[in-house]
Amino acid sequence: MVAVAALTYRSYAECRAAFEEMCAAIEGLPGGVHHTSEGNGWVWRLREPAGGALAVSSRSYERHSTCQAAYERFRALLGDLGSGGVIAWDDMD
């Protein structure tokens, strides 16, 4: 697991559409690395332009540099998918 949605969705279709939209818009989405709420680790957040969280790291990291690298890999993955990469949905024919 790389990340988790920061929002809840009423249906699989709604979640899937939001993910595809996020992939297509990744270049314009802000985000970054932050301390955990306990202050003893690091997490990353991808935000919508208005500032609300869209996706968050699935775990906390001990080191800032490790968290930053994971965040950058996540952004790159979304960028690849949004630029025509294949999303391997289980329901594809």
Side-chain angles (χ1 to χ4, degrees), residues 14 24 77 79:
E14 186 180 304
L77 174 63

Side-chain angles (χ1 to χ4, degrees), residues 31-55:
V33 173
H34 309 277
H35 274 290
T36 62
S37 58
E38 298 83 25
N40 59 354
W42 300 91
V43 292
W44 58 259
R45 290 184 185 94
L46 183 66
R47 299 187 176 280
E48 62 186 358
L54 289 174

Side-chain angles (χ1 to χ4, degrees), residues 47-87:
R47 299 187 176 280
E48 62 186 358
L54 289 174
V56 297
S57 56
S58 60
R59 66 180 189 93
S60 62
Y61 297 84
E62 282 187 32
R63 294 183 177 183
H64 181 276
S65 60
T66 306
C67 187
Q68 183 68 40
Y71 173 65
E72 290 169 5
R73 282 192 309 270
F74 179 70
R75 289 188 70 96
L77 174 63
L78 291 187
D80 288 347
L81 294 172
S83 64
V86 175
I87 300 175

